[in-house]
Amino acid sequence: MSKTVVITGANRGIGLSFAQLFLKRGDTVYGVCRQASDALANSGAKIIDGVDVTKADGIARLAESLKGVNIDLLINNAGILRNESLGSLDPETIRAQFETNSLAPLLVTEALSDHFSDNAKVALITSRMGSIEDNTSGGRYGYRMSKAALNAAGKSLSEDLKPRGVAVAILHPGLVGTEMIGGHGDLTPDQAAQRLTERIDELTLETSGTFWHSNGQVLPW
Ligand code: NDP
């Protein structure tokens, strides 16, 4: 059956590939962005632009645009990567990553939770770099901290939304050749979106709150 899918950061990278994939499956896609790219504009997605997910008015605009819409799948994909090294830490880049990578997906999920259909799913696109156990190389303070915080939020969301029948997946895409990492990765954005979608399709209330690699491996916190 055709689904209604809402994707943040849908104008490029993995988010755009998600949009194209779900459209190909015959689903209705709402592509959320600050400004639509040509690729998103020509994709057939319904565009909700002018949404900066770190701004209260952006999230309010998103919720207002989706009034009366039943959401089957929300993909919180928008994110940023900055770099900090010990000795030259910049609190502003760390703060910006918290705002975008941790707080925004939580607040977007809360703002849209009244729109969730029965058995809706929420996907949080996190990173393996948010795994504390997996960290053997240090650095990347703001990104690692913000994705670890997102993972913690994802676990709480899975518990809080379970009674409503809503399942939550916490997903690492793999190393994906997007602008975020300079275009060189192990996977193309299309391959990453395909694998992540397989994980979302498999998600159940029983497995809700698990931290997965897109290859199906369960990752350590
Ligand atoms: P890109 O940099 O290609 O895309 C990031 C997207 O997020 C863009 O659409 C961007 O919009 C949007 N975005 C960023 N900040 C905001 C904001 N404040 N409001 C609205 N939209 C915003 O990155 P990827 O496609 O690679 O990343 C997608 C997700 O995957 C991210 O959460 C990232 O952390 C995660 N990830 C990616 C990996 C990789 O190897 N690429 C590895 C692990 C995780 P705009 O065009 O307006 O800037």
Side-chain angles (χ1 to χ4, degrees):
M1 217 177 71
S2 157
K3 293 191 168 64
T4 297
V5 183
V6 176
I7 304 163
T8 66
N11 54 315
R12 60 187 169 96
I14 299 168
L16 177 63
S17 291
F18 265 131
Q20 291 165 336
L21 185 156
F22 284 104
L23 286 163
K24 221 178 269 173
R25 284 172 31 152
D27 295 326
T28 299
V29 172
Y30 288 86
V32 183
C33 55
R34 292 188 271 214
Q35 192 173 0
S37 57
D38 288 347
L40 181 64
N42 297 326
S43 68
K46 295 175 190 288
I47 292 170
I48 305 177
D49 61 7
V51 177
D52 181 331
V53 291
T54 65
K55 301 278 189 288
D57 60 356
I59 294 178
R61 178 184 164 89
L62 172 59
E64 180 63 27
S65 305
L66 289 168
K67 219 172 182 176
V69 174
N70 281 326
I71 301 170
D72 298 305
L73 171 61
L74 167 64
I75 304 179
N76 282 291
N77 163 78
I80 57 170
L81 169 69
R82 303 287 182 262
N83 200 6
E84 305 90 14
S85 307
L86 197 61
S88 57
L89 292 178
D90 179 353
E92 282 316 311
T93 59
I94 296 175
R95 204 168 280 130
Q97 286 168 101
F98 263 108
E99 296 276 349
T100 311
N101 297 346
S102 329
L103 199 50
L106 176 62
L107 295 180
V108 165
T109 303
E110 183 189 49
L112 299 186
S113 61
D114 287 347
H115 302 257
F116 291 158
S117 62
D118 295 341
N119 308 316
K121 295 181 179 182
V122 176
L124 302 175
I125 308 304
T126 182
S127 171
R128 185 176 200 156
M129 288 178 76
S131 169
I132 294 168
E133 190 175 327
D134 193 60
N135 181 356
T136 54
S137 54
R140 296 278 181 187
Y141 286 86
Y143 194 69
R144 288 189 187 281
M145 290 161 70
S146 66
K147 291 296 191 179
L150 175 61
N151 294 353
K155 181 66 185 163
S156 278
L157 283 170
S158 74
E159 296 297 333
D160 289 344
L161 293 173
K162 201 170 269 182
R164 292 185 43 192
V166 177
V168 180
I170 303 166
L171 298 169
H172 167 65
L175 194 64
V176 188
T178 64
E179 270 182 58
M180 178 174 280
I181 60 161
H184 302 289
D186 299 334
L187 299 173
T188 64
D190 284 354
Q191 287 169 330
Q194 175 60 42
R195 282 189 183 190
L196 291 164
T197 302
E198 287 165 18
R199 304 287 78 78
I200 294 167
D201 286 344
E202 287 169 5
L203 173 70
T204 64
L205 279 180
E206 285 67 41
T207 60
S208 183
T210 306
F211 179 20
W212 281 284
H213 192 298
S214 68
N215 67 12
Q217 181 191 353
V218 174
L219 292 170
W221 300 114

